[in-house]
Amino acid sequence: MSETTALTRQAQKERTRQAILDAALELSGTVGFAQVSLRQVTREAGVVPTAFYRHFSSMDDVGLALVGQSFETLRAMIRDAQRDPDTFADIIDASAEILVRVVKQNKAHFGFVARERTSGSPLVREAIQRELELFISELAVMLARLPNIDSWSGEDVKMASGLFVRNMVYRAEQVIGIPDGRTDLEEDIKRKARREMRLIVLGFRDWKS
């Protein structure tokens, strides 16, 4: 087998795998992931069940892969923020802007997490909770560079990170429900998110680990 042929087959395998994930994600937006069947997914993706089993062992396996994709979007958001010097110049305004923009661009994945973290299958729910805890830890590394926090204990920095993440999740769920074109509602969410984050940050100066 030539190298070109091998690369072509690998690319086809990746396209098939992504088609299955895209189909499951779209169907879950209507009925919830726990109600989506393997047969529905393969029909939507245009593949046969045997092709499904070349990539996933079960629908739970698909759910875990969707959790991974969804949180990679969050991690990309943090990486982008770290590369932008304006984020640290005014972390509150920047965070509100980034949150709304990224959620709008990835509504399907954020919607999946919002639905499944409370009502999904136990395996998917647990995976989402683990990813949220990991995301809190990753954000804490970024926050530890901020003034007033750099002398805190690691536990307290993680606590502050958790406050931000819980606020972010709540506001992200609101962004998901905004109809297209309602920039007034987007601005209202940004305003509220900024006020809430500012309230959190005001406590940083007086907190002692």
Side-chain angles (χ1 to χ4, degrees):
M1 183 188 300
S2 70
E3 184 177 351
T4 301
T5 301
L7 289 173
T8 301
R9 289 189 176 180
Q10 183 61 33
Q12 181 57 49
K13 284 177 63 177
E14 288 300 319
R15 283 195 293 270
T16 300
R17 183 179 188 277
Q18 191 57 51
I20 292 169
L21 290 171
D22 290 343
L25 186 62
E26 183 174 350
L27 290 167
S28 72
T30 304
V31 297
F33 183 77
Q35 305 305 317
V36 176
S37 69
L38 187 153
R39 185 179 298 276
Q40 289 173 308
V41 169
T42 53
R43 184 167 59 243
E44 180 74 17
V47 300
V48 296
T50 51
F52 175 96
Y53 285 113
R54 292 191 193 106
H55 300 275
F56 302 101
S57 61
S58 65
M59 284 300 295
D60 274 339
D61 199 16
V62 173
L64 295 178
L66 286 174
V67 172
Q69 280 193 344
S70 300
F71 278 89
E72 179 53 35
T73 299
L74 280 172
R75 292 190 179 93
M77 180 173 69
I78 292 299
R79 288 196 296 269
D80 289 345
Q82 287 178 308
R83 284 193 290 265
D84 184 355
D86 290 338
T87 301
F88 286 96
D90 194 341
I91 190 170
I92 292 176
D93 285 343
S95 297
E97 293 289 338
I98 291 170
L99 173 65
V100 172
R101 171 170 53 82
V102 172
V103 173
K104 284 178 62 182
Q105 292 171 347
N106 302 275
K107 275 191 175 182
H109 280 113
F110 279 91
F112 174 81
V113 171
R115 289 188 306 274
E116 304 303 322
R117 75 185 184 95
T118 56
S119 60
S121 72
L123 196 64
V124 172
R125 284 202 311 270
E126 290 169 8
I128 290 173
Q129 291 305 315
R130 284 196 303 271
E131 289 286 356
L132 280 172
E133 286 299 318
L134 181 59
F135 184 63
I136 288 171
S137 297
E138 292 170 352
L139 179 61
V141 174
M142 176 180 170
L143 292 180
R145 296 158 54 189
L146 295 176
N148 301 314
I149 293 183
D150 49 9
S151 62
W152 288 12
S153 69
E155 181 181 358
D156 284 0
V157 175
K158 188 174 179 181
M159 176 180 67
S161 177
L163 293 174
F164 277 116
V165 170
R166 281 186 282 276
N167 176 266
M168 185 190 336
V169 169
Y170 173 63
R171 291 303 174 190
E173 290 174 353
Q174 290 187 316
V175 175
I176 293 165
I178 294 178
D180 292 339
R182 291 300 304 273
T183 56
D184 58 322
L185 297 179
E186 292 175 15
E187 291 303 318
D188 187 54
I189 287 175
K190 291 179 190 177
R191 179 184 63 81
K192 290 175 179 175
R194 284 193 293 266
R195 284 172 56 84
E196 290 158 352
M197 286 188 284
R198 191 163 287 116
L199 179 62
I200 295 171
V201 171
L202 284 173
F204 287 179
R205 289 174 299 185
D206 297 324
W207 183 262
K208 300 292 185 293
S209 286

